Amino acid sequence: MKTGTKTWSVPVFWGLVILVACVLPFVVSNYHTFQLTLVLVYAIALLGLNILTGYNGQISLGHGAFYALGAYCAAILMDKASAPYWATVPAAAVVCLVAGFLFGLPALRLEGLYLALATFALGVAMPQLLKYHALEKWTGGVQGIVINKPDAPAFFPNMGLPLNPDQWLYFFTLAIMLIMFILAWNLLRGRIGRALVAIRDQHIAAEAMGIHNAFYKSLAFGVSAMYTGVAGALGAIAVQFVAPDSFNIFLSIVFLVGIVIGGLGSIAGAVYGALFIQFVPNIADEISKAAPWAIFGVFMIVFVYLMPTGVAGALRLITRRRAP
Amino acid sequence: MDAFLHQVLAGLATGGIYASLALALVMIYQATHLVNFAQGEMAMFTTYIAWTLVNAGMPYWAAFLLTVAIAFVLGVVIERVIIRPVEQAPVLAIVVVFIALLLILNSVTGWIYTYTIKQFPSPFPEQPIFGRYLSSHEAGAIGVTLVVLALLYAFFRFTPLGLAMRAAAQNPESSRLVGIRVGWMLALGWGLAAAIGSVAGMMVAPIVYLDPNMMGGVLLYAFAAALVGGIDNPWGAVVGGFVVGVLENVLGAFVIGNELKLSVALVIIVGVLLVRPSGFFGRVQVTRV
Amino acid sequence: MRKALLFGLMAAALAAPAMAQKKYDPGATDKEIKIGNTNPYSGPASAYGQIGKAIAAYFKMVNDQGGVNGRMINFISYDDGYSPPKTVEMARKLVEQDQVLFLFQTLGTPSNTAIHKYMNAKKVPQLFVATGASKWNDPKHFPWTMGWQPNYHTEGMIYAKHILQTKPDAKIAILYQNDDYGKDYLKGMEDGLGQKASMIVAKASYEVSDPTIDSQIVQLQASGANVFFQATTPKFAAQAIRKVYDIGWKPVHYLNNVSISVGSVLQPAGLEKSIGIITAGYQKEHSDPRFANDAGMNKWRAFMKKYMPDGNLDDNFNVYGYGVGQTLVQALKQCGDNLTRENVMRQAASLKNVQIDTLLPGITISTSSTDYAPIEAVQLQKFDGKRWELFGDVMSSAQ
């Protein structure tokens, strides 16, 4: 696989990261724990988009729509069906897997720019669909849906480890994120992953070699939508509110920015990208009250100049150079 | 029937707006094989420059021409300074730079000029010449768009420079071999696109009023129009623009209502693309292994 | 020596009860009061960010004049881009990290809905929110949330009542923004018409991302309506007014009061095209000759000149920011040295006929523990080509 890096350094690195992630909620404030929960949520969403765009080369400018779909799944189930919060996550996963796959089927005919436009159309249309008055009974229309924050399950305080709702939600999200990341890692380093990358790099040759392009491309769409939908559900639970205009085209664009800055075709890139899209706007706001998005734009340009293959790509270069 | 005609004409008027920005998108695509998401904001920014000039007392046509020149220079400068360093980067990284440019221009304009709407003058007379269905300005704007279209078409089809630019975008290595200065072709393409964008902005602003978010919605439709007409074909972009404008109006008024017209219009456009994946007039791309 | 000691003891004894009256919650000290706010300084609603800027300038003036009861106002305002998740994040930052005393004038209905439960659970005042939705006047369920401006629903009802009184044969067409803001007005008009809601013959909505609303206006005219009500934000208001005139449609024309600024809306639309438009206002306009020498507006003009010299005098967001700032300062003054969150809320709910420099004559601020709507009165006014001409009586929306 990777030549030159010591084979144990990767699991050690991830082990340390997970350890730090588990300790953080106990040393930082609830507000920061909430922010970190959002980082985890975005990481799952970005991994979803990365599977489609980074590994499979299909550009999506509309992934915010799948995020919205997952979020509304969770909200409607919790609000109208009184479903427990943890059940909404697999429900959102299934719904988005199907939706993604169904969208991916006609999208097979479109390449590059034209696919970008089709996904762009999806991203733009989503808020309108959510506001549509015929669906208002379910979606709450423009007023949105308010959700209650779940409390930690009883056995934690009984074990002498009282977790407040923010901390509990953080660990819940972290657990799901780790599961999904491991699943993705497994998927991408195996046959399916290689097929996806082959389709991205040379799709005619891939077809000629016996890879069923149509199946894998639609699968990529479905899986990608599933990941982003799960993120949407977790995000809705964390923020406790969904409204149509939270999921506009700008969200989709921010996701795209996230995976490029984080690193296309990289699982760790999803985490770097999530950190970027969560914290850099706040930093930009501190630097300039008058034109914060201009500062954010400057950050984006600087990152792309210094690291055209993303943070993950840059790190890969550095570790490779260090190797004997 | 009267209402229908009125909607169609109103659709042609808004379609003219989409067509003019779509031309700028086609221009940049012909020159670089990339779609510049910041085109709308560049057009908006240069229109604010025109507004500043007119407010300082300059007569309209002088300000118009000066703005087009400034926009050209701005386009060249952006290409040389901001886009050049990332030319070799993966396509999506360049797209991120475009998005950054969009954010920067929008934010800086809002900071300098605030978000209150401003009036922008129109060179066309106030009285409507086609009855109350179409104002003189709207008709004039369509006319200007068609003139720009003709100039653009002639430029690419009949001039050596236009040919060189298309060659540079299509096959940079071979173009260099025959002596084309590829770098400057790209810069020229950006300059021309920015100039066309500024014309679009100055035609649009009197209708929709000048504010930093003026081009956001227009870019969406212009993008769709350019693609449905064929991204490498200026005629296609203009026809696409008119089609999108009329479609949107007719759908909203008679078919699906305003609440869903944006979604349905886009679905129809995507549907068209499924049937003709390169747009109505676009050239089908053939990929080699 | 003993006398000094005696004096010292006496002074301490006298000071002790006074000091015991100073009560602070996080965000309030002897020297400052920390106030939190979120506004959309970026994104599709960035035009409203002007309000945040006006408020910040107003507090600067208050501080220069000595603050409130000797305490400086520390106004911390974050950008939420009109995105509810961001509002939640920023509100939590203000309450949990910056430790502000309360949130003031957070802007936007979805933004405020997102933090509504949180603020009440945390028992932090969500004061004078910048939205006209009717749900902020609910002291029984949400005692920590209070609005300020007359609400949109009631405004719609007032127009409906006026139509029923003056034009019983009306056929009404409505243009509204497809979000909570526009839909609130629509519902208000429908509720105001009650049984006669069938008078509405056409409704057309638009998205903020739409470039123009020409198509919608054409549709509405085609319905044959003779009354037109538009619930629009300034840019679209100007477009609509102009288009209605240009296509030769002459309905009885109602405009919602968010977009009545002569300088920023009517002038771009065309003053002569705006003649006859009716609205229900509550604020004074700078360009109204009647207020050219008005004491209250002169104070506002002096404020603008010194603290917002580049500010647009015709932008009624600047008038709004001043007015709501003045209301808050009154409530804070009433708090005295008891700056607990509970007392801030109590004083905000104890405003009795407070005069504000920028509100129309006859309109004052009144609240009580069962009435969380500070401004309930509006006055109908008609545009005569130069200014808004008041007519009729001040109408109270508490019906």
Side-chain angles (χ1 to χ4, degrees), chain B residues 133-174:
Chain B
Y133 289 145
L134 206 63
S135 74
S136 304
H137 178 83
E138 283 166 341
I142 295 178
V144 167
T145 304
L146 293 174
V147 166
V148 172
L149 163 66
L151 287 173
L152 200 61
Y153 179 72
F155 174 73
F156 277 123
R157 192 79 180 347
F158 299 120
T159 66
L161 190 58
L163 186 61
M165 211 186 279
R166 278 160 54 204
Q170 199 142 6
N171 202 332
E173 288 90 20
S174 305

mmCIF file of all heavy atoms in Angstrom, chain B residues 133-174:
data_model
loop_
_atom_site.group_PDB
_atom_site.id
_atom_site.type_symbol
_atom_site.label_atom_id
_atom_site.label_comp_id
_atom_site.label_asym_id
_atom_site.label_seq_id
_atom_site.Cartn_x
_atom_site.Cartn_y
_atom_site.Cartn_z
ATOM 1 N N TYR B 133 -46.473 46.019 -22.459
ATOM 2 C CA TYR B 133 -45.999 44.669 -22.200
ATOM 3 C C TYR B 133 -44.497 44.605 -21.980
ATOM 4 O O TYR B 133 -43.999 43.778 -21.242
ATOM 5 C CB TYR B 133 -46.360 43.734 -23.358
ATOM 6 C CG TYR B 133 -47.832 43.424 -23.426
ATOM 7 C CD1 TYR B 133 -48.474 43.260 -24.629
ATOM 8 C CD2 TYR B 133 -48.588 43.314 -22.269
ATOM 9 C CE1 TYR B 133 -49.806 42.970 -24.705
ATOM 10 C CE2 TYR B 133 -49.932 43.033 -22.328
ATOM 11 C CZ TYR B 133 -50.545 42.859 -23.546
ATOM 12 O OH TYR B 133 -51.871 42.573 -23.623
ATOM 13 N N LEU B 134 -43.814 45.482 -22.674
ATOM 14 C CA LEU B 134 -42.357 45.409 -22.623
ATOM 15 C C LEU B 134 -41.847 46.840 -22.547
ATOM 16 O O LEU B 134 -42.179 47.663 -23.376
ATOM 17 C CB LEU B 134 -41.862 44.746 -23.913
ATOM 18 C CG LEU B 134 -40.531 44.020 -23.895
ATOM 19 C CD1 LEU B 134 -40.588 42.852 -22.944
ATOM 20 C CD2 LEU B 134 -40.226 43.541 -25.292
ATOM 21 N N SER B 135 -41.020 47.109 -21.539
ATOM 22 C CA SER B 135 -40.521 48.480 -21.448
ATOM 23 C C SER B 135 -39.413 48.681 -22.470
ATOM 24 O O SER B 135 -38.824 47.718 -22.968
ATOM 25 C CB SER B 135 -39.983 48.748 -20.038
ATOM 26 O OG SER B 135 -38.748 48.081 -19.879
ATOM 27 N N SER B 136 -39.113 49.927 -22.761
ATOM 28 C CA SER B 136 -38.059 50.203 -23.735
ATOM 29 C C SER B 136 -36.739 49.635 -23.271
ATOM 30 O O SER B 136 -35.949 49.142 -24.063
ATOM 31 C CB SER B 136 -37.893 51.710 -23.935
ATOM 32 O OG SER B 136 -39.095 52.263 -24.314
ATOM 33 N N HIS B 137 -36.502 49.731 -21.978
ATOM 34 C CA HIS B 137 -35.220 49.222 -21.497
ATOM 35 C C HIS B 137 -35.114 47.727 -21.688
ATOM 36 O O HIS B 137 -34.074 47.213 -22.097
ATOM 37 C CB HIS B 137 -35.001 49.570 -20.030
ATOM 38 C CG HIS B 137 -33.723 49.014 -19.521
ATOM 39 N ND1 HIS B 137 -32.516 49.649 -19.718
ATOM 40 C CD2 HIS B 137 -33.434 47.857 -18.902
ATOM 41 C CE1 HIS B 137 -31.552 48.912 -19.217
ATOM 42 N NE2 HIS B 137 -32.076 47.821 -18.713
ATOM 43 N N GLU B 138 -36.197 47.029 -21.378
ATOM 44 C CA GLU B 138 -36.144 45.567 -21.527
ATOM 45 C C GLU B 138 -35.908 45.207 -22.985
ATOM 46 O O GLU B 138 -35.101 44.333 -23.292
ATOM 47 C CB GLU B 138 -37.455 44.948 -21.028
ATOM 48 C CG GLU B 138 -37.534 44.897 -19.506
ATOM 49 C CD GLU B 138 -38.939 44.606 -19.001
ATOM 50 O OE1 GLU B 138 -39.900 44.788 -19.772
ATOM 51 O OE2 GLU B 138 -39.058 44.201 -17.840
ATOM 52 N N ALA B 139 -36.589 45.886 -23.888
ATOM 53 C CA ALA B 139 -36.384 45.631 -25.305
ATOM 54 C C ALA B 139 -34.961 45.986 -25.700
ATOM 55 O O ALA B 139 -34.288 45.245 -26.424
ATOM 56 C CB ALA B 139 -37.385 46.432 -26.137
ATOM 57 N N GLY B 140 -34.489 47.123 -25.204
ATOM 58 C CA GLY B 140 -33.128 47.546 -25.508
ATOM 59 C C GLY B 140 -32.102 46.563 -24.997
ATOM 60 O O GLY B 140 -31.107 46.265 -25.665
ATOM 61 N N ALA B 141 -32.348 46.037 -23.784
ATOM 62 C CA ALA B 141 -31.396 45.082 -23.207
ATOM 63 C C ALA B 141 -31.317 43.835 -24.066
ATOM 64 O O ALA B 141 -30.229 43.283 -24.285
ATOM 65 C CB ALA B 141 -31.806 44.740 -21.783
ATOM 66 N N ILE B 142 -32.465 43.374 -24.545
ATOM 67 C CA ILE B 142 -32.454 42.207 -25.430
ATOM 68 C C ILE B 142 -31.651 42.531 -26.685
ATOM 69 O O ILE B 142 -30.831 41.720 -27.148
ATOM 70 C CB ILE B 142 -33.893 41.786 -25.814
ATOM 71 C CG1 ILE B 142 -34.648 41.308 -24.580
ATOM 72 C CG2 ILE B 142 -33.867 40.702 -26.872
ATOM 73 C CD1 ILE B 142 -36.073 40.935 -24.851
ATOM 74 N N GLY B 143 -31.854 43.729 -27.202
ATOM 75 C CA GLY B 143 -31.108 44.140 -28.389
ATOM 76 C C GLY B 143 -29.612 44.118 -28.151
ATOM 77 O O GLY B 143 -28.837 43.605 -28.958
ATOM 78 N N VAL B 144 -29.211 44.689 -27.021
ATOM 79 C CA VAL B 144 -27.780 44.732 -26.696
ATOM 80 C C VAL B 144 -27.224 43.309 -26.588
ATOM 81 O O VAL B 144 -26.135 43.013 -27.079
ATOM 82 C CB VAL B 144 -27.547 45.502 -25.375
ATOM 83 C CG1 VAL B 144 -26.139 45.277 -24.864
ATOM 84 C CG2 VAL B 144 -27.804 46.977 -25.587
ATOM 85 N N THR B 145 -27.988 42.420 -25.951
ATOM 86 C CA THR B 145 -27.550 41.033 -25.828
ATOM 87 C C THR B 145 -27.315 40.418 -27.202
ATOM 88 O O THR B 145 -26.318 39.730 -27.429
ATOM 89 C CB THR B 145 -28.597 40.209 -25.065
ATOM 90 O OG1 THR B 145 -28.846 40.822 -23.797
ATOM 91 C CG2 THR B 145 -28.120 38.795 -24.846
ATOM 92 N N LEU B 146 -28.235 40.674 -28.122
ATOM 93 C CA LEU B 146 -28.093 40.093 -29.457
ATOM 94 C C LEU B 146 -26.874 40.658 -30.181
ATOM 95 O O LEU B 146 -26.166 39.927 -30.890
ATOM 96 C CB LEU B 146 -29.367 40.327 -30.272
ATOM 97 C CG LEU B 146 -30.589 39.556 -29.739
ATOM 98 C CD1 LEU B 146 -31.848 39.943 -30.495
ATOM 99 C CD2 LEU B 146 -30.365 38.050 -29.830
ATOM 100 N N VAL B 147 -26.624 41.961 -29.971
ATOM 101 C CA VAL B 147 -25.439 42.564 -30.588
ATOM 102 C C VAL B 147 -24.171 41.905 -30.044
ATOM 103 O O VAL B 147 -23.260 41.536 -30.803
ATOM 104 C CB VAL B 147 -25.407 44.088 -30.329
ATOM 105 C CG1 VAL B 147 -24.050 44.666 -30.665
ATOM 106 C CG2 VAL B 147 -26.489 44.780 -31.143
ATOM 107 N N VAL B 148 -24.124 41.754 -28.712
ATOM 108 C CA VAL B 148 -22.948 41.111 -28.097
ATOM 109 C C VAL B 148 -22.796 39.699 -28.626
ATOM 110 O O VAL B 148 -21.689 39.235 -28.928
ATOM 111 C CB VAL B 148 -23.077 41.100 -26.557
ATOM 112 C CG1 VAL B 148 -21.965 40.263 -25.940
ATOM 113 C CG2 VAL B 148 -23.015 42.515 -26.012
ATOM 114 N N LEU B 149 -23.920 38.995 -28.754
ATOM 115 C CA LEU B 149 -23.898 37.634 -29.285
ATOM 116 C C LEU B 149 -23.278 37.618 -30.673
ATOM 117 O O LEU B 149 -22.396 36.800 -30.973
ATOM 118 C CB LEU B 149 -25.322 37.079 -29.330
ATOM 119 C CG LEU B 149 -25.530 35.852 -30.223
ATOM 120 C CD1 LEU B 149 -24.764 34.667 -29.667
ATOM 121 C CD2 LEU B 149 -27.007 35.523 -30.329
ATOM 122 N N ALA B 150 -23.748 38.541 -31.525
ATOM 123 C CA ALA B 150 -23.241 38.576 -32.896
ATOM 124 C C ALA B 150 -21.745 38.838 -32.905
ATOM 125 O O ALA B 150 -20.982 38.185 -33.624
ATOM 126 C CB ALA B 150 -23.991 39.643 -33.687
ATOM 127 N N LEU B 151 -21.305 39.799 -32.088
ATOM 128 C CA LEU B 151 -19.888 40.128 -32.028
ATOM 129 C C LEU B 151 -19.071 38.919 -31.569
ATOM 130 O O LEU B 151 -18.018 38.602 -32.132
ATOM 131 C CB LEU B 151 -19.655 41.297 -31.064
ATOM 132 C CG LEU B 151 -20.105 42.674 -31.540
ATOM 133 C CD1 LEU B 151 -19.959 43.689 -30.413
ATOM 134 C CD2 LEU B 151 -19.273 43.117 -32.745
ATOM 135 N N LEU B 152 -19.590 38.255 -30.544
ATOM 136 C CA LEU B 152 -18.885 37.101 -29.982
ATOM 137 C C LEU B 152 -18.768 35.983 -31.009
ATOM 138 O O LEU B 152 -17.708 35.377 -31.202
ATOM 139 C CB LEU B 152 -19.661 36.604 -28.769
ATOM 140 C CG LEU B 152 -18.916 35.739 -27.770
ATOM 141 C CD1 LEU B 152 -17.778 36.528 -27.204
ATOM 142 C CD2 LEU B 152 -19.855 35.324 -26.655
ATOM 143 N N TYR B 153 -19.884 35.714 -31.664
ATOM 144 C CA TYR B 153 -19.906 34.669 -32.679
ATOM 145 C C TYR B 153 -18.909 34.981 -33.797
ATOM 146 O O TYR B 153 -18.111 34.126 -34.198
ATOM 147 C CB TYR B 153 -21.320 34.523 -33.232
ATOM 148 C CG TYR B 153 -21.439 33.479 -34.301
ATOM 149 C CD1 TYR B 153 -21.361 32.124 -33.990
ATOM 150 C CD2 TYR B 153 -21.611 33.841 -35.645
ATOM 151 C CE1 TYR B 153 -21.465 31.162 -34.973
ATOM 152 C CE2 TYR B 153 -21.714 32.882 -36.629
ATOM 153 C CZ TYR B 153 -21.648 31.549 -36.290
ATOM 154 O OH TYR B 153 -21.732 30.585 -37.262
ATOM 155 N N ALA B 154 -18.956 36.234 -34.258
ATOM 156 C CA ALA B 154 -18.041 36.631 -35.324
ATOM 157 C C ALA B 154 -16.596 36.505 -34.874
ATOM 158 O O ALA B 154 -15.725 36.052 -35.622
ATOM 159 C CB ALA B 154 -18.355 38.064 -35.751
ATOM 160 N N PHE B 155 -16.356 36.910 -33.630
ATOM 161 C CA PHE B 155 -14.994 36.856 -33.099
ATOM 162 C C PHE B 155 -14.439 35.428 -33.124
ATOM 163 O O PHE B 155 -13.331 35.175 -33.593
ATOM 164 C CB PHE B 155 -14.994 37.398 -31.669
ATOM 165 C CG PHE B 155 -13.687 37.266 -30.954
ATOM 166 C CD1 PHE B 155 -12.616 38.070 -31.278
ATOM 167 C CD2 PHE B 155 -13.527 36.325 -29.948
ATOM 168 C CE1 PHE B 155 -11.398 37.946 -30.625
ATOM 169 C CE2 PHE B 155 -12.324 36.207 -29.284
ATOM 170 C CZ PHE B 155 -11.250 37.014 -29.621
ATOM 171 N N PHE B 156 -15.244 34.495 -32.636
ATOM 172 C CA PHE B 156 -14.735 33.121 -32.571
ATOM 173 C C PHE B 156 -14.678 32.454 -33.923
ATOM 174 O O PHE B 156 -13.834 31.609 -34.179
ATOM 175 C CB PHE B 156 -15.596 32.278 -31.616
ATOM 176 C CG PHE B 156 -15.212 32.451 -30.167
ATOM 177 C CD1 PHE B 156 -16.131 32.863 -29.238
ATOM 178 C CD2 PHE B 156 -13.917 32.216 -29.772
ATOM 179 C CE1 PHE B 156 -15.768 33.030 -27.916
ATOM 180 C CE2 PHE B 156 -13.538 32.378 -28.450
ATOM 181 C CZ PHE B 156 -14.467 32.790 -27.526
ATOM 182 N N ARG B 157 -15.610 32.827 -34.781
ATOM 183 C CA ARG B 157 -15.704 32.101 -36.043
ATOM 184 C C ARG B 157 -14.752 32.655 -37.087
ATOM 185 O O ARG B 157 -14.167 31.905 -37.855
ATOM 186 C CB ARG B 157 -17.149 32.217 -36.543
ATOM 187 C CG ARG B 157 -17.501 31.316 -37.680
ATOM 188 C CD ARG B 157 -17.764 29.899 -37.226
ATOM 189 N NE ARG B 157 -18.109 28.913 -38.239
ATOM 190 C CZ ARG B 157 -18.459 29.092 -39.488
ATOM 191 N NH1 ARG B 157 -18.520 30.301 -39.994
ATOM 192 N NH2 ARG B 157 -18.777 28.100 -40.274
ATOM 193 N N PHE B 158 -14.612 33.984 -37.113
ATOM 194 C CA PHE B 158 -13.956 34.581 -38.264
ATOM 195 C C PHE B 158 -12.603 35.205 -37.993
ATOM 196 O O PHE B 158 -11.913 35.586 -38.926
ATOM 197 C CB PHE B 158 -14.879 35.646 -38.901
ATOM 198 C CG PHE B 158 -16.178 35.070 -39.392
ATOM 199 C CD1 PHE B 158 -17.389 35.528 -38.883
ATOM 200 C CD2 PHE B 158 -16.206 34.080 -40.357
ATOM 201 C CE1 PHE B 158 -18.596 35.006 -39.327
ATOM 202 C CE2 PHE B 158 -17.401 33.547 -40.809
ATOM 203 C CZ PHE B 158 -18.604 34.011 -40.302
ATOM 204 N N THR B 159 -12.249 35.398 -36.713
ATOM 205 C CA THR B 159 -10.963 36.054 -36.495
ATOM 206 C C THR B 159 -9.906 35.033 -36.095
ATOM 207 O O THR B 159 -10.210 34.037 -35.434
ATOM 208 C CB THR B 159 -11.055 37.122 -35.381
ATOM 209 O OG1 THR B 159 -11.312 36.449 -34.150
ATOM 210 C CG2 THR B 159 -12.118 38.144 -35.676
ATOM 211 N N PRO B 160 -8.637 35.286 -36.486
ATOM 212 C CA PRO B 160 -7.559 34.381 -36.089
ATOM 213 C C PRO B 160 -7.394 34.335 -34.578
ATOM 214 O O PRO B 160 -7.089 33.280 -34.006
ATOM 215 C CB PRO B 160 -6.313 34.956 -36.781
ATOM 216 C CG PRO B 160 -6.728 36.195 -37.471
ATOM 217 C CD PRO B 160 -8.191 36.377 -37.363
ATOM 218 N N LEU B 161 -7.614 35.465 -33.919
ATOM 219 C CA LEU B 161 -7.453 35.505 -32.474
ATOM 220 C C LEU B 161 -8.471 34.585 -31.788
ATOM 221 O O LEU B 161 -8.146 33.851 -30.843
ATOM 222 C CB LEU B 161 -7.635 36.948 -31.987
ATOM 223 C CG LEU B 161 -7.263 37.217 -30.537
ATOM 224 C CD1 LEU B 161 -5.818 36.839 -30.276
ATOM 225 C CD2 LEU B 161 -7.487 38.688 -30.215
ATOM 226 N N GLY B 162 -9.701 34.635 -32.287
ATOM 227 C CA GLY B 162 -10.724 33.778 -31.718
ATOM 228 C C GLY B 162 -10.365 32.301 -31.894
ATOM 229 O O GLY B 162 -10.565 31.484 -30.996
ATOM 230 N N LEU B 163 -9.846 32.000 -33.057
ATOM 231 C CA LEU B 163 -9.447 30.618 -33.328
ATOM 232 C C LEU B 163 -8.333 30.192 -32.391
ATOM 233 O O LEU B 163 -8.342 29.089 -31.819
ATOM 234 C CB LEU B 163 -8.992 30.497 -34.782
ATOM 235 C CG LEU B 163 -8.685 29.087 -35.270
ATOM 236 C CD1 LEU B 163 -9.928 28.223 -35.177
ATOM 237 C CD2 LEU B 163 -8.181 29.141 -36.713
ATOM 238 N N ALA B 164 -7.376 31.100 -32.227
ATOM 239 C CA ALA B 164 -6.246 30.803 -31.340
ATOM 240 C C ALA B 164 -6.733 30.542 -29.929
ATOM 241 O O ALA B 164 -6.266 29.625 -29.240
ATOM 242 C CB ALA B 164 -5.265 31.973 -31.361
ATOM 243 N N MET B 165 -7.713 31.332 -29.505
ATOM 244 C CA MET B 165 -8.221 31.170 -28.138
ATOM 245 C C MET B 165 -8.894 29.811 -27.969
ATOM 246 O O MET B 165 -8.705 29.116 -26.977
ATOM 247 C CB MET B 165 -9.220 32.286 -27.845
ATOM 248 C CG MET B 165 -9.240 32.668 -26.403
ATOM 249 S SD MET B 165 -10.531 33.834 -26.043
ATOM 250 C CE MET B 165 -9.750 35.307 -26.578
ATOM 251 N N ARG B 166 -9.694 29.430 -28.950
ATOM 252 C CA ARG B 166 -10.357 28.134 -28.847
ATOM 253 C C ARG B 166 -9.359 27.010 -28.864
ATOM 254 O O ARG B 166 -9.489 26.022 -28.130
ATOM 255 C CB ARG B 166 -11.366 27.975 -29.995
ATOM 256 C CG ARG B 166 -12.684 28.662 -29.715
ATOM 257 C CD ARG B 166 -13.467 28.925 -30.971
ATOM 258 N NE ARG B 166 -13.651 27.716 -31.754
ATOM 259 C CZ ARG B 166 -13.884 27.706 -33.061
ATOM 260 N NH1 ARG B 166 -13.918 28.837 -33.734
ATOM 261 N NH2 ARG B 166 -14.059 26.581 -33.703
ATOM 262 N N ALA B 167 -8.314 27.169 -29.680
ATOM 263 C CA ALA B 167 -7.278 26.138 -29.741
ATOM 264 C C ALA B 167 -6.581 26.017 -28.388
ATOM 265 O O ALA B 167 -6.335 24.918 -27.888
ATOM 266 C CB ALA B 167 -6.275 26.492 -30.833
ATOM 267 N N ALA B 168 -6.265 27.153 -27.803
ATOM 268 C CA ALA B 168 -5.547 27.146 -26.531
ATOM 269 C C ALA B 168 -6.338 26.428 -25.451
ATOM 270 O O ALA B 168 -5.787 25.728 -24.614
ATOM 271 C CB ALA B 168 -5.238 28.576 -26.103
ATOM 272 N N ALA B 169 -7.668 26.601 -25.507
ATOM 273 C CA ALA B 169 -8.485 25.947 -24.481
ATOM 274 C C ALA B 169 -8.595 24.455 -24.742
ATOM 275 O O ALA B 169 -8.594 23.648 -23.819
ATOM 276 C CB ALA B 169 -9.868 26.577 -24.449
ATOM 277 N N GLN B 170 -8.676 24.091 -26.002
ATOM 278 C CA GLN B 170 -8.924 22.704 -26.334
ATOM 279 C C GLN B 170 -7.678 21.848 -26.192
ATOM 280 O O GLN B 170 -7.741 20.729 -25.709
ATOM 281 C CB GLN B 170 -9.437 22.612 -27.765
ATOM 282 C CG GLN B 170 -10.142 21.343 -28.068
ATOM 283 C CD GLN B 170 -11.329 21.597 -28.981
ATOM 284 O OE1 GLN B 170 -11.529 22.724 -29.458
ATOM 285 N NE2 GLN B 170 -12.113 20.595 -29.238
ATOM 286 N N ASN B 171 -6.551 22.393 -26.620
ATOM 287 C CA ASN B 171 -5.337 21.591 -26.650
ATOM 288 C C ASN B 171 -4.123 22.488 -26.417
ATOM 289 O O ASN B 171 -3.448 22.896 -27.364
ATOM 290 C CB ASN B 171 -5.228 20.909 -28.022
ATOM 291 C CG ASN B 171 -4.336 19.692 -27.936
ATOM 292 O OD1 ASN B 171 -3.430 19.617 -27.101
ATOM 293 N ND2 ASN B 171 -4.580 18.749 -28.809
ATOM 294 N N PRO B 172 -3.835 22.788 -25.155
ATOM 295 C CA PRO B 172 -2.769 23.752 -24.861
ATOM 296 C C PRO B 172 -1.399 23.345 -25.415
ATOM 297 O O PRO B 172 -0.662 24.181 -25.927
ATOM 298 C CB PRO B 172 -2.744 23.819 -23.336
ATOM 299 C CG PRO B 172 -4.015 23.228 -22.873
ATOM 300 C CD PRO B 172 -4.537 22.350 -23.951
ATOM 301 N N GLU B 173 -1.093 22.030 -25.333
ATOM 302 C CA GLU B 173 0.256 21.632 -25.761
ATOM 303 C C GLU B 173 0.457 21.867 -27.244
ATOM 304 O O GLU B 173 1.440 22.477 -27.672
ATOM 305 C CB GLU B 173 0.525 20.153 -25.445
ATOM 306 C CG GLU B 173 0.722 19.846 -23.980
ATOM 307 C CD GLU B 173 -0.590 19.517 -23.276
ATOM 308 O OE1 GLU B 173 -1.555 19.153 -23.996
ATOM 309 O OE2 GLU B 173 -0.648 19.637 -22.048
ATOM 310 N N SER B 174 -0.514 21.378 -28.023
ATOM 311 C CA SER B 174 -0.367 21.554 -29.475
ATOM 312 C C SER B 174 -0.385 23.028 -29.847
ATOM 313 O O SER B 174 0.315 23.452 -30.785
ATOM 314 C CB SER B 174 -1.492 20.833 -30.213
ATOM 315 O OG SER B 174 -1.516 19.482 -29.836
#
